[in-house]
Amino acid sequence: MPDSSSSGDRAHLLRRVPSVDELLQRPALASRSAQLDRSFLVNRVRGVLADLREEIRSALQIADDALDPASIEARILASLSVELRPSLRPVINASGVILHTNLGRAPLDPAVVEEFRLTATRYSNLEYDLFAGARGKRDVHTSRLLERLTGAESAIVVNNCAAAVLLTLASLARGGEVLVSRGELIEIGDGFRIPEIMEQSGALLREVGTTNRTHLADYERAIHDKTRVILRVHPSNFKVTGFTEKPDAAELIALGRRAGIPVIEDLGSGCLVDLSANAIQEPTVRESVAVGFSLVLFSGDKLLGGPQAGIIAGQKDLVARVRRHPLFRALRVDKLSIAALEVTLRAYLRADWNAIPSQRMIRLSAEEIAARAGRFLGELRPYLAELDAEADFAANSSLVGGGSTPAQSLPTHVVRLASVRHSAAQLEARLRASSFPVVARIEDDRLLLDLRTVFPDQEADLLQSLLAALR
Ligand SMILES: *Cc1c(COP(=O)(O)O)cnc(C)c1O
């Protein structure tokens, strides 16, 4: 072992580092170079050499063979495969949170993707009217479906619900005031704050009422000639309980009508069908439209279960004003999202919940999940003794997630695991790092797996990842 602590030895070691050209001529790298972008390859060779020099300079113990061209070459090949590995990759969601914002919210069904595969991989009539032989609008592919499903006169689609709020306020309230109840000035995950979006739109926020109580008279008193919009925001991820009050939607809408001011609802989740039979109390878009909100704004990838999108539905004249704003062009959706949204919306017309995974997961009963958990446990059991682990299953709850009302949970059955070799936190981390990453939950120092959000065709991979983590 060279004594890397002496500066003379370090200089000697640095001189032994091979050149980029010498390395590029080695057989394995020379053969890879034909399939790789040249500057990417050279960048990786230089990167590995820079790391190596740094290790020598910082007087780390350098292994005897570390400077052999063959071992440097192996290091470069390893670095290349790390860089070429997909970054965005599938994860097994065993958390039981159906619309998990960090895990991509709503998954699409393979049949849905298959349905739009051809339009995605070929040219399409995205903005071309095949009958007129002239330029068309990309809105046509989703607008009519949205009108049918929400009862709205008109509907357009933008990048996400944050964009829908921004565009709507920029179009209808720039330079004027927007009334919002103090109890609805919310922040949703990852920095979506209603007051900040409003500022970006050029509208002035006028807070009304108090955090827990806002009366109709508070809105009434705040209205003046600069008031452009009354905005109601669904308090997606929190709940104010106790001594609370807010006006009925109908009262607020009547006030807006008397004053000639549109009353707009940022609904967030965008529930298209009544889910009360599944114990989910979430207002539907159709209800909001029917009660008379001028516009209703909602996401495409929350309860709707489609691709990321933001939908603006409501009165024709207002939708048209929003559509004409120059920001629409900057916030519009791409063709892949339009294709995915169209296919998802058509599945709603057929009430085909199997084509919408999040709807399918919401509709799974606790008994169906218990049966799957029991079978899964049966496959796991033979391995448990040799792995010093224990497992059982128990009643628990899944979460709808994705910014629907926080209390919305669904009864489920979870598989619970404990190991002598690893703590629950260690198991959870090992699962995340496994070759098929798994996101699980921890409760009472036990690892919990909720199969509600695990696709049946992922169960074999889940078992393999679990056995590897327990080892
Ligand atoms: C989630 C949410 C948004 C933001 O929706 P994105 O589609 O994520 O941009 C806006 N408003 C409310 C009330 C929400 O719940």
Side-chain angles (χ1 to χ4, degrees), residues 275-415:
L275 292 170
S276 55
N278 301 283
I280 294 177
Q281 306 303 331
E282 191 69 21
T284 64
V285 178
R286 190 180 281 283
E287 282 162 3
S288 290
V289 169
V291 71
F293 280 106
S294 308
L295 293 177
V296 182
L297 319 178
F298 55 99
S299 288
D301 57 351
K302 291 184 178 175
L303 270 174
L304 195 155
Q308 180 187 306
I311 294 143
I312 302 170
Q315 289 170 12
K316 211 180 184 101
D317 54 331
L318 291 180
V319 173
R321 265 175 72 189
V322 173
R323 176 71 171 77
R324 277 197 303 270
H325 193 279
L327 262 182
F328 177 78
R329 178 64 176 72
L331 300 173
R332 69 179 191 183
V333 264
D334 79 304
K335 63 178 179 179
L336 296 181
S337 305
I338 289 177
L341 185 61
E342 187 201 332
V343 178
T344 306
L345 294 173
R346 275 197 275 109
Y348 272 95
L349 289 182
R350 302 190 309 270
D352 180 3
W353 312 128
N354 278 328
I356 308 167
S358 52
Q359 289 289 328
R360 189 169 73 212
M361 289 172 185
I362 285 171
R363 287 168 163 78
L364 283 175
S365 71
E367 292 70 36
E368 288 169 276
I369 298 169
R372 274 178 67 193
R375 280 197 301 275
F376 188 77
L377 204 53
E379 288 177 36
L380 185 60
R381 217 165 245 137
Y383 302 96
L384 290 173
E386 60 179 284
L387 293 167
D388 300 323
E390 283 177 358
D392 63 359
F393 76 99
N396 204 291
S397 39
S398 315
L399 283 176
V400 176
S404 31
T405 311
Q408 306 283 23
S409 64
L410 299 163
T412 192
H413 277 84
V414 293
V415 175

